[in-house]
Structure formats: C-alpha cells, structure tokens
Amino acid sequence: MKEEKEKLFIQMAITQWKISNEKINTVFETISSKQYASPIAPGANSAAWILAHLAGANDNLFPLLTLGDLRFPMINGMAKSNHSPHNEIEKDELKACWLSINSSLLHEFNRMQPEEWFDRHNSISPEDFIKEPHRNKLNVLLSRTNHQAHHAGQLALIK
Amino acid sequence: MKEEKEKLFIQMAITQWKISNEKINTVFETISSKQYASPIAPGANSAAWILAHLAGANDNLFPLLTLGDLRFPMINGMAKSNHSPHNEIEKDELKACWLSINSSLLHEFNRMQPEEWFDRHNSISPEDFIKEPHRNKLNVLLSRTNHQAHHAGQLALIK
C-alpha cells in the first residue's frame, strides 16, 4: 500500500509536468511566425526566447537527472543566455526539438523506479544530499514544472 | 523507510507551494499602488485582479481540502469573476488577507497526516475517487502551485 502511494505521487508529478508541456505545445501550434518573433509584452522577451529557454531547460534534465547528454546543446546554450533574441531558430525547428526532448524524457520518466526518483540529482554532492534529502530528482521535476508554468503564464498573454 | 519517503514528498510539495507564495509576497511588497491598479500588459488583467484571483484561489483550499470555510468569501467571489477590475480592495488590505490565508493554510498543511493528503478532495465523489485515486488533496496542492506560478510569471512582467 505504501509502495502504491509512492508510485501514485510520482505519477502525479509526471502528469503535472505533462499537462504543462501540453500547454506549451498549444502555444507552438497557435502563434504566428510574427508573434513568435515579437516581445510578448512591451520590453519583455520574445516568445521565441521563452520557448527556446523552456526547451533548453527541459533538455538540461537529461544530464541533471543522469539520463544522458543534452540532445540539443545549441538550444541549451541559448536558454542560459538571458534576454537575447533567439530568432535564428525557426519556430518549426524549435517545435520539433521541443517535442523530441519531451518525448524522450517522458519515456525515461515512465521507466524510472521510485528509488531513482528519490536519489540525488547531478547538481548536489553526496555529502550535501545526506543533509538535504529533499534535493532529489523528483523535486527537480516539481520545480521545473513550476518554472514552466511561470513562463506559460507569460506566453498566455500573447495576443 | 517508505513512510519517510511519503513524508518527504509531502514536504517537497508544501515547500514548492511556500516558495511560490513568497514570490507573490515580494510582488505585494515591491509594486506601487499605481502598478497595482494597472494592467500588467496592454489589454491584460490588472495586478489587483491577478492578486485577488490568487488570494481567492488559496482561500478556496479551505473548503476544497475540508479544512473549514472560506476566510474571506468576498475575495473568493472576485476570483471567480473573470477580468473585472477589483481595485475596490486596497493593496494593503488584500495583502493582509493573502498573508492570513497562507499562514492558516500552512499551519493546517503541517498538521495534516499522509493519509489525509492521499484522501479525496471535496470536488470529487467517493465513487469517482475509487477510479481516479490521483485526484487527492496532494494533487490539488501540486496543481494550485502550478496555477500560482502561471500568474507569478505574469506579475514578473510588471515594470
């Protein structure tokens, strides 16, 4: 019964992440190329930057959760550089990367066992993890889902 | 050990919710009265509306998680009515409600036992809950934290 609950909340966390991804899928499907290249509000980042930032953040989950290397290092570099225009990636190309990253991640997430989720992520040392056991892979997933929701809220302002 | 993980996960979910609340606290502390009353972007909701919407959404957690009645029914009514200005509540008054709601909720959350978190919330029938056990109180907390992050992202655009 305890084990069932453990699997249930891991599934809940994955589902919240999926729901958030799907909102971004809808953005890719509904915005025009002009909206993609434009700031989402006066003086704010472009939709292209936010979307590249989100794709890079998800791609970064591969090394962070010890699931392998970055799939698209170019995008990841962009996600780290703040506020510069990323219009050099076309919308359809970025969308293809985004879908590919998330599909691979979801495959890995569904394969991962509960003990893997409660293991440390790659940015915390074994010594610190003993003192801070909440800094595990599942917590990264919760935190990244919130990060994505933060930017999804901004993308929802596109008119 | 299993029980420890269960408690750890619940604590992780509460912490994410708290982190998100603290971002909104900062918004209350940093925006001017003029910014409070103004749309966050052209044609978008005012900060006042978004903040009342978030306070109402948190207040609604009391009945939804069977923790008691709404503390501020007036705000909750506002949260449900879309896109109307709520400037009738002064910033300081809304901030006081916001802090009071979250302080009471946090007190309840820290008191709740794991089995309560995995019980059904108040908007699902016992029959449906048997089929959909993920629709529990903890899932409401994850989902509300994402909802709050969505709007926090919008409030971050205030200049």
Side-chain angles (χ1 to χ4, degrees):
Chain A
M1 189 60 179
K2 291 273 182 230
E3 194 148 317
E4 268 175 37
K5 274 187 188 165
E6 205 172 282
K7 285 190 179 163
L8 184 63
F9 62 59
I10 291 167
Q11 204 51 56
M12 280 156 51
I14 295 173
T15 300
Q16 292 288 338
W17 180 78
K18 267 177 65 182
I19 290 171
S20 178
N21 283 341
E22 281 156 15
K23 286 184 185 164
I24 307 296
N25 295 353
T26 305
V27 173
F28 271 114
E29 280 154 23
T30 53
I31 62 172
S32 68
S33 296
K34 192 179 165 205
Q35 287 170 321
Y36 176 76
S38 305
I40 56 155
N45 288 313
S46 66
W49 184 84
I50 296 175
L51 291 166
H53 172 66
L54 292 177
N58 276 0
D59 202 17
N60 187 252
L61 289 174
F62 290 104
L64 191 57
L65 304 182
T66 59
L67 298 171
D69 295 329
L70 293 174
R71 264 46 168 183
F72 303 97
M74 180 188 67
I75 294 175
N76 201 268
M78 290 174 171
K80 284 178 184 160
S81 72
N82 260 329
H83 299 276
S84 66
H86 292 308
N87 300 348
E88 60 262 41
I89 303 189
E90 293 290 327
K91 180 163 74 99
D92 287 348
E93 192 187 343
L94 184 61
K95 182 185 171 187
C97 298
W98 165 258
L99 292 174
S100 164
I101 290 165
N102 293 343
S103 161
S104 297
L105 282 174
L106 191 59
H107 179 79
E108 295 289 339
F109 291 172
N110 287 329
R111 182 200 55 69
M112 283 167 73
Q113 296 302 305
E115 57 271 22
E116 287 179 79
W117 282 111
F118 282 95
D119 198 3
R120 71 184 174 93
H121 59 71
N122 227 346
S123 293
I124 181 169
S125 69
E127 296 73 30
D128 287 344
F129 185 59
I130 292 168
K131 291 175 274 178
E132 301 178 277
H134 68 279
R135 295 178 66 182
N136 52 48
K137 293 176 180 177
L138 195 55
N139 202 43
V140 168
L141 189 66
L142 293 183
S143 153
R144 287 299 168 95
T145 303
N146 285 328
H147 171 252
Q148 197 161 280
H150 177 102
H151 289 295
Q154 297 177 335
L155 293 166
L157 297 174
I158 296 174
K159 286 184 196 297
Chain B
M1 189 60 177
K2 291 272 181 232
E3 195 150 315
E4 269 174 37
K5 275 188 187 165
E6 206 170 282
K7 284 187 180 167
L8 184 63
F9 180 80
I10 291 167
Q11 205 51 55
M12 281 156 52
I14 294 173
T15 300
Q16 292 289 338
W17 179 78
K18 266 177 66 182
I19 291 171
S20 177
N21 283 342
E22 282 156 14
K23 287 186 185 162
I24 306 296
N25 294 353
T26 305
V27 174
F28 271 114
E29 281 154 23
T30 54
I31 62 173
S32 66
S33 295
K34 191 180 165 204
Q35 287 170 322
Y36 176 75
S38 305
I40 56 153
N45 288 312
S46 65
W49 183 85
I50 295 175
L51 290 166
H53 173 66
L54 291 177
N58 276 0
D59 201 18
N60 187 252
L61 289 174
F62 291 105
L64 192 57
L65 305 182
T66 58
L67 298 171
D69 294 331
L70 293 174
R71 263 47 168 183
F72 302 98
M74 180 189 68
I75 294 175
N76 200 268
M78 290 172 171
K80 285 178 181 161
S81 72
N82 259 332
H83 300 276
S84 65
H86 292 308
N87 300 346
E88 61 262 41
I89 303 189
E90 293 292 328
K91 180 164 75 98
D92 287 347
E93 190 186 343
L94 184 61
K95 183 184 172 189
C97 297
W98 165 258
L99 293 173
S100 164
I101 290 165
N102 293 343
S103 161
S104 298
L105 282 173
L106 191 59
H107 179 79
E108 295 289 338
F109 290 172
N110 287 329
R111 182 199 56 69
M112 282 168 73
Q113 296 302 305
E115 58 271 22
E116 287 179 79
W117 282 112
F118 283 95
D119 198 3
R120 71 184 175 91
H121 58 71
N122 226 344
S123 293
I124 181 170
S125 69
E127 297 74 31
D128 286 345
F129 185 60
I130 292 169
K131 291 174 276 180
E132 300 178 276
H134 68 279
R135 296 178 66 184
N136 52 48
K137 292 175 180 177
L138 195 55
N139 201 43
V140 168
L141 188 65
L142 294 183
S143 152
R144 285 300 168 94
T145 303
N146 286 328
H147 170 253
Q148 198 160 280
H150 177 100
H151 289 296
Q154 297 177 334
L155 293 166
L157 297 174
I158 296 174
K159 286 186 196 296

